[in-house]
Amino acid sequence: MLDNLLNIKKPYFTIVYFLALVIDLWGKLNLEIVPYRYITKSLLMILLIVFYLKNQKLNKERKHYYTLIALFLFWIASIAVINHVNNFRFIFGMLFFILGKAMYCIRFTNNRDFKLARLLPFLTGSFILMVSVFFLIYKGLGVFFIPVLIYFFISLLLSLFAYLRKNDVNAKSYNLVMLSMFFLILSEIIMGIKTYYISLPFQDISVMLFYGIGQFLIVYGILIEKKTIEEELIKIKL
């Protein structure tokens, strides 16, 4: 039963994961934080970790360990920020989110040299997005200005590394990981605006919903990753 549930070729895991996500969202709105939210939110990351371990094929390669470490760091971070009113726990959670994203950045590194002309549109769009968000929230950041700045920077850096996978991996893996970046950044933007600027409609649901979708897509995208022939030739030359 477990083999079927976690088999990447079948839809069972997707159904179970999103059912767990719906339960977590319902629990967030209707149940006490202790102990229920800690259980439902942990379940999501546990499912992703087990799913990854069951289906990954890298075995002892370094990229396997970077992914696994990232998932554990995100698990710790997601638990720490449940009670984000506590400043110490919020900073602690933010630190582990940053470390988790850094592990993903390392996971997505490759051997290719890139021309500035290819990076310029992405960097320009990222800069405009980052400046726009900070224009809205900077007055409310107070002592959190530097931590939040670093957090958004590492988020955009992760998106850059995900973007640079193009032509190095199969299209489906690339597209899923890029889509995950969209959902993760959208979740973070909503979180930043609702925490430091103004309340938004459905903010309590949308932050976790987009985060949960993003985490699922990035893991699924990594699991179906295949190197292109061109990338394999580059590795042979090196």
Side-chain angles (χ1 to χ4, degrees):
M1 180 62 182
L2 184 60
D3 289 342
N4 290 331
L5 180 64
L6 299 175
N7 192 328
I8 197 171
K9 297 179 181 179
K10 297 181 180 180
Y12 303 126
F13 174 78
T14 303
I15 295 172
V16 170
Y17 177 82
F18 281 97
L19 178 60
L21 180 57
V22 169
I23 292 173
D24 181 61
L25 292 173
W26 180 84
K28 183 177 182 179
L29 297 176
N30 298 283
L31 299 177
E32 296 291 333
I33 292 178
V34 180
Y36 302 108
R37 189 76 205 291
Y38 288 93
I39 296 173
T40 58
K41 202 170 185 181
S42 290
L43 178 61
L44 290 171
M45 295 310 300
I46 292 172
L47 285 171
L48 284 177
I49 290 170
V50 175
F51 180 55
Y52 173 76
L53 287 173
K54 179 66 181 178
N55 293 281
Q56 65 83 25
K57 297 179 176 62
L58 295 177
N59 297 320
K60 296 184 179 180
E61 290 187 26
R62 284 183 297 176
K63 287 190 173 184
H64 159 61
Y65 294 110
Y66 293 142
T67 303
L68 192 58
I69 292 171
L71 289 172
F72 275 102
L73 290 171
F74 276 112
W75 183 7
I76 296 171
S78 63
I79 294 302
V81 299
I82 288 178
N83 183 15
H84 60 269
V85 177
N86 184 305
N87 288 343
F88 173 78
R89 297 188 63 179
F90 184 73
I91 292 293
F92 180 81
M94 189 177 295
L95 173 62
F96 274 80
F97 274 126
I98 290 171
L99 293 174
K101 289 175 182 290
M103 288 295 104
Y104 274 144
C105 287
I106 298 173
R107 168 63 179 79
F108 291 149
T109 54
N110 51 52
N111 301 311
R112 186 185 298 273
D113 294 326
F114 294 92
K115 295 180 180 179
L116 182 60
R118 179 182 170 186
L119 297 179
L120 191 59
F122 183 89
L123 294 175
T124 302
S126 298
F127 177 77
I128 293 173
L129 176 63
M130 189 172 182
V131 170
S132 300
V133 173
F134 265 82
F135 178 79
L136 290 176
I137 69 174
Y138 81 96
K139 289 184 179 180
L141 290 174
V143 296
F144 293 106
F145 179 83
I146 298 300
V148 172
L149 179 64
I150 296 173
Y151 183 85
F152 271 96
F153 173 78
I154 197 68
S155 295
L156 294 177
L157 188 64
L158 174 57
S159 298
L160 175 62
F161 276 98
Y163 172 75
L164 292 177
R165 296 168 70 243
K166 189 175 180 63
N167 300 324
D168 290 328
V169 300
N170 52 313
K172 187 174 182 180
S173 172
Y174 176 79
N175 291 333
L176 285 178
V177 170
M178 286 304 300
L179 186 59
S180 77
M181 296 298 107
F182 168 79
F183 281 109
L184 289 175
I185 289 180
L186 182 58
S187 173
E188 291 161 1
I189 289 175
I190 295 173
M191 182 68 179
I193 292 176
K194 73 117 173 171
T195 303
Y196 301 110
Y197 182 58
I198 191 173
S199 296
L200 297 172
F202 310 109
Q203 60 185 25
D204 291 332
I205 293 179
S206 58
V207 171
M208 187 59 205
L209 176 63
F210 295 144
Y211 173 79
I213 294 173
Q215 286 288 4
F216 172 82
L217 290 175
I218 197 171
V219 171
Y220 198 101
I222 286 173
L223 285 173
I224 63 172
E225 178 184 284
K226 295 180 181 178
K227 292 294 183 181
T228 61
I229 296 177
E230 185 178 356
E231 173 65 10
E232 293 294 343
L233 291 175
I234 292 174
K235 290 175 67 176
I236 292 174
K237 290 180 181 180
L238 292 175

